[in-house]
Amino acid sequence: MTAGNEAQGVRWDLSDLYSGPDDPQLEADLSAVLAEAQSFEKKFRGRIQIAGGPPPGLVAEAVAEMERIIERLGKACAFADLLHASDVTPPAHGALVARTQEQASAVRQSLLFLELEWLALSDADVEPALNDPACARYRHFLRSMRRYRPHVLSEPEEKILEEKANTGTRAFTRLFDEVLSSLTFAVEVDGTTQQLNESEILNLMRDDKRAVRQAASDALTRGLRANELLLGFIFNTLVQDHSIDDRLRKYGDPMQARHLANEISGQTVAALMQACEARHDLVQRYYGLKRRLLGLQELADYDRYAPISQEPDAVPWARGRELVLAAYDAFSPRIREIAELFFTRRWIDAEARNGKRGGAFSASTVPSLHPYVLLNYTGRMYDVMTVAHELGHGVHQYLSRQQGYLQADTPLTTAETASVFGEMLVFEHLLREVAEPKQRLALLCNKIEDTIATVFRQICLTRFEQKLHQARREQGELSRESICDLWQSANAALYGDTVRLTDNYRWWWTYIPHFIHTPFYCYAYGFGELLVLALYETYRREGAAFVPRYLDLLAAGGSDTPENLLRPLGIDVNSPGFWQLGLEPFRKMVEEAERLAG
Ligand SMILES: [Zn+2]
C-alpha cells in the first residue's frame, strides 16, 4: 500500500518542549511544579474568600502566579500527549501520559481552593477586583469562572472527583485511544490482503471503485465489531459517568455543561440545530445529484465520499503545502508567514504510519512556545484541505498566545473559526484557478460534501448523542443493538431515502472519538462552519478592510465571550436570522452544482 507515503519522513521535532522522555528537565519540571503549587496554596489559601472581597492587587498576583504554574505543568503534559500521539506503542509513552496526568491532578488539587474561594464570594464582593486595572488582563477569566458557581461542589468532593477521574473517565478515554490506534483492518485490494490502520481504511471509502469502498466498509465493520464488547462498554460507562456528573453538579440536561463551557446559550444551539434540520432537503437534493453523477441505481452509505470525477493524481506533500500557503498568502501575507513556520521549523508531523494516532489535530501546547500539528497525509485533495484546516488552528493558536495560558484558548464554538476559514480560502483559491466546468463541478461537490460533513452531519451526531444520553438516563445501561438503533434513526433523518444505510453503518458510532473525548463537541463544528460562511460573505463584501479585524479576532483568543469578540465583525450569534445567513451560501452552492451538472 503506497497510501501514506506522500509525506514520508515529515515528522515533528518535539525538542522545543523536551529532548525526549528521559530529559532530566521533564522530571525536574514535574516535581518542581507540584512544590510550587503547594507553596502557592500556603501563600494564598484563605486570603481570597474574605468579607468585603479580596484586594484587587492580591487577586491579580495570585492569578498570575497560578498561570505560571499551570503553564509549566502544561508544557510537560503537552509533551507527553504529543509523544504518545506520535507513537502509542512504546509502553514508556503511555506511562509518561499517566505520570503527567497524575501529577497534573495533584497540582490541580493544590490550586483548586482559588476557584472555590472566588466562587464563594458574593457578586458584590467580586466587583471591585473585576473593575480594577490590576486585574484587567484576567478580567474575562475571573468573570467567566463564576458561571460555574451553581455547579461546583465542596472542596473535598471536588478533590475526590479530580483524583478518581484518572482511573475513571481519563482511563476509559485512553483505553479507547489505544484500542483504536492499535486496530488493523484486513482488506483485500487487487487480489492481495492488506492490514490497514483506521486512517487508511477510512481513506479507501474515497476510492473511485465501488467494490473497494464496499470492501473497506466490510473490513472497517469487521474490525470494529471484533471489539464491539469493549467499545460498547466504554461508551456505556462514559455516558453513565456523564449523567452522574450532571446529577452531582445539578445540570438540568446533558448538554448544559457543554453550553456553559462554550459560553453559549442552550436556545442559541437549539436554534442552530433546528435551522440545519429544516434544510435536510438540500442535503438530500445533493445526494440525489451525486447518485446521478455516479450513474448508480442507489447511493449506499459507503458511496457518500466517492469521487465525482477521476481523482487527479496524488497531491505530493510539497505541492499540498504550496497550495495552502498560496491561498493563505492571497488573504494575508502575515498568515502565510506564520503558517510557513510549521514547515520550516518542523512543528508538523504529516506522514501516516502504524502506531501513530489517526486523524489530525493542532495542539496549542503553551504560550511561551508554539503549537504542533499532527496529520496523516495520504496525498488526496481531502488531505490538502485537512492541512488548511489544522494550519488554521495552528495560526489561531499562535496568534492568541499573547493572551497567556488562561485566556488563549477559545470555547469550542469559535475554536473552529480559523480552521474552517482556512479551508474556505483554499477552496476559493482552487476555484479561481479552474475554469473547466467539469473540474469546477468536482471542486464544488467537494466543498458541498465538506459542508454537509461539518454542518449537517455534526448536528446529526449531536442529535444522536442527545438521544443516547437521554435513553441512558431513562432506561439504564443500553444494549449495543439499541445504541445502533438510535444511531441509525438519527442518520436516517438526515439522509432520507437518498442514501441507503447498510447494516454495516449501524456500527459506525463506535469509532467516533468526540463522543468519548468531549461529549457534545460536534455541534461546535456546525456553529463554526456556518459562522465562517457568514464571515466569508463579509470578507467578499468588504475585501481587504476585513483582514485586520479578522486577525484581531484570532489574536483575541478566549479573552472575551464569542458574542463580544464577534460583534466588531458585524456578527450577532443571538439573532435568529444569523443561521440563515450561513445556510444561504450553501443553498447557492447546491443550486450551482445542479446547474453545472445540467
Ligand atoms: Zn478542527
Side-chain angles (χ1 to χ4, degrees):
M1 185 77 186
T2 55
N5 287 348
E6 277 77 10
Q8 203 162 32
V10 180
R11 297 185 176 203
W12 55 30
D13 171 9
L14 296 179
S15 66
D16 287 345
L17 290 157
Y18 296 99
S19 63
D22 303 324
D23 187 338
Q25 191 57 45
L26 176 59
E27 192 44 48
D29 279 348
L30 279 171
S31 310
V33 84
L34 185 58
E36 283 170 3
Q38 286 160 348
S39 56
F40 174 85
E41 186 178 7
K42 268 200 201 90
K43 185 169 165 193
F44 292 103
R45 184 185 266 282
R47 295 175 69 197
I48 304 292
Q49 188 192 345
I50 54 170
L58 181 94
V59 175
E61 187 195 342
V63 176
E65 200 163 320
M66 180 175 82
E67 185 173 52
R68 274 196 301 276
I69 295 169
I70 54 179
E71 169 150 5
R72 192 169 185 184
L73 172 71
K75 189 179 160 196
C77 291
F79 178 72
D81 288 343
L82 293 175
L83 193 68
H84 187 245
S86 57
D87 190 356
V88 299
T89 44
H93 292 183
L96 184 62
V97 170
R99 163 92 177 106
T100 52
Q101 279 181 357
E102 282 157 24
Q103 204 70 353
S105 271
V107 168
R108 278 194 289 265
Q109 303 252 0
S110 281
L111 302 179
L112 193 58
F113 77 93
L114 182 86
E115 182 181 354
L116 296 176
E117 288 195 25
W118 179 247
L119 296 196
L121 290 164
S122 71
D123 286 344
D125 284 353
V126 295
E127 273 314 301
L130 285 178
N131 295 320
D132 197 279
C135 295
R137 181 169 169 78
Y138 299 112
R139 187 166 294 139
H140 181 66
F141 171 74
L142 287 167
R143 182 171 289 144
S144 69
M145 209 181 351
R146 286 179 59 84
R147 70 193 191 276
Y148 291 107
R149 209 169 165 221
H151 308 291
V152 289
L153 305 175
S154 72
E155 188 168 351
E157 289 169 325
E158 289 289 350
K159 283 188 165 170
I160 290 169
L161 286 179
E162 166 56 41
E163 195 166 3
K164 292 293 277 183
N166 288 326
T167 47
T169 42
R170 285 179 208 132
F172 279 105
T173 303
R174 188 180 138 198
L175 178 62
F176 175 86
D177 286 346
E178 293 193 358
V179 170
L180 258 291
S181 301
S182 62
L183 277 188
T184 57
F185 303 89
V187 65
E188 202 184 295
V189 181
D190 302 331
T192 53
T193 301
Q194 297 167 347
Q195 292 288 338
L196 303 185
N197 63 29
E198 187 198 325
S199 300
E200 291 168 332
I201 197 81
L202 289 175
N203 238 320
L204 283 189
M205 305 266 194
R206 297 173 185 278
D207 201 278
D208 58 354
K209 292 183 284 300
R210 196 170 201 222
V212 172
R213 298 195 298 271
Q214 207 166 358
S217 157
D218 289 341
L220 173 70
T221 310
R222 266 197 312 275
L224 294 171
R225 289 205 64 180
N227 291 276
E228 65 169 87
L229 192 135
L230 180 61
L231 295 169
F233 188 86
I234 295 172
F235 261 75
N236 255 308
T237 304
L238 290 174
V239 171
Q240 185 188 7
D241 184 83
H242 192 82
S243 85
I244 295 171
D245 260 357
D246 282 354
R247 177 169 49 78
L248 294 175
R249 297 187 182 283
K250 299 185 177 62
Y251 285 114
D253 89 74
M255 291 171 84
Q256 196 193 348
R258 176 65 48 222
H259 297 332
L260 210 59
N262 285 345
E263 303 184 56
I264 209 86
S265 78
Q267 289 95 305
T268 301
V269 176
L272 158 71
M273 291 177 71
Q274 280 155 16
C276 291
E277 286 169 339
R279 295 321 312 260
H280 280 170
D281 62 308
L282 291 174
V283 175
Q284 294 169 12
R285 251 167 77 185
Y286 173 73
Y287 282 119
L289 171 67
K290 176 149 192 173
R291 183 186 59 74
R292 290 199 300 281
L293 288 170
L294 292 174
L296 295 173
Q297 288 294 320
E298 61 160 19
L299 199 73
D301 47 58
Y302 52 80
D303 296 320
R304 284 171 304 156
Y305 302 108
I308 294 289
S309 55
Q310 204 66 30
E311 165 101 356
D313 298 339
V315 186
W317 171 243
R319 167 85 183 128
R321 161 187 162 151
E322 276 325 304
L323 268 174
V324 173
L325 289 178
Y328 274 22
D329 193 53
F331 175 71
S332 157
R334 171 79 182 124
I335 288 188
R336 178 212 159 96
E337 204 180 289
I338 298 167
E340 202 159 18
L341 295 174
F342 286 79
F343 301 99
T344 54
R345 302 204 181 157
R346 296 181 61 202
W347 300 347
I348 202 161
D349 195 304
E351 67 174 8
R353 57 176 184 270
N354 291 339
K356 177 174 162 177
R357 196 181 296 169
F361 64 77
S362 178
S364 54
T365 78
V366 289
S368 54
L369 290 170
H370 54 79
Y372 279 98
V373 164
L374 178 138
L375 305 165
N376 280 277
Y377 189 88
T378 58
R380 311 216 168 182
M381 204 26 107
Y382 171 83
D383 293 314
V384 177
M385 285 299 176
T386 306
V387 177
H389 182 101
E390 298 307 335
L391 279 179
H393 280 306
V395 168
H396 194 174
Q397 290 161 343
Y398 185 87
L399 283 170
S400 66
R401 292 175 311 152
Q402 65 183 73
Q403 303 296 340
Y405 197 91
L406 297 173
Q407 295 189 141
D409 287 347
T410 61
L412 296 179
T413 33
T414 39
E416 296 297 335
T417 307
S419 54
V420 180
F421 200 89
E423 287 185 58
M424 196 70 192
L425 290 173
V426 172
F427 168 65
E428 294 280 328
H429 177 79
L430 290 169
L431 214 52
R432 277 195 299 275
E433 285 191 342
V434 175
E436 202 269 314
K438 257 193 164 147
Q439 285 184 21
R440 285 182 76 82
L441 177 63
L443 268 175
L444 207 54
C445 288
N446 279 340
K447 184 63 190 168
I448 291 170
E449 288 181 18
D450 207 51
T451 310
I452 291 174
T454 343
V455 179
F456 298 93
R457 183 161 182 272
Q458 301 302 326
I459 297 304
C460 168
L461 297 187
T462 307
R463 200 55 93 189
F464 157 72
E465 223 179 346
Q466 205 181 24
K467 288 185 175 149
L468 173 72
H469 284 263
Q470 211 56 51
R472 177 66 184 81
R473 283 164 203 218
E474 287 161 7
Q475 302 160 27
E477 183 157 312
L478 300 168
S479 69
R480 294 189 290 280
E481 283 294 341
S482 64
I483 302 178
C484 291
D485 290 341
L486 288 174
W487 169 256
Q488 205 79 342
S489 75
N491 280 276
L494 171 60
Y495 296 113
D497 52 13
T498 53
V499 179
R500 182 172 64 87
L501 300 177
T502 62
D503 282 345
N504 280 346
Y505 192 82
R506 291 172 59 79
W507 293 93
W508 294 359
W509 50 273
T510 50
Y511 73 90
I512 296 176
H514 300 83
F515 298 153
I516 300 297
H517 285 251
T518 320
F520 299 106
Y521 187 114
C522 295
Y523 76 73
Y525 284 116
F527 186 108
E529 173 88 24
L530 289 185
L531 171 64
V532 165
L533 286 174
L535 281 174
Y536 205 86
E537 276 303 305
T538 316
Y539 168 52
R540 252 197 272 262
R541 283 201 307 269
E542 296 180 4
F546 172 84
V547 178
R549 286 190 290 148
Y550 179 74
L551 284 167
D552 285 347
L553 172 72
L554 300 192
S559 60
D560 206 338
T561 62
E563 194 186 336
N564 289 341
L565 292 176
L566 287 164
R567 199 169 294 121
L569 293 128
I571 302 276
D572 177 8
V573 292
N574 293 320
S575 113
F578 167 67
W579 303 113
Q580 297 306 326
L581 186 74
L583 285 164
E584 212 23 44
F586 179 71
R587 183 184 61 81
K588 286 187 199 148
M589 280 193 263
V590 173
E591 280 171 2
E592 173 72 359
E594 285 172 337
R595 195 187 61 77
L596 282 170

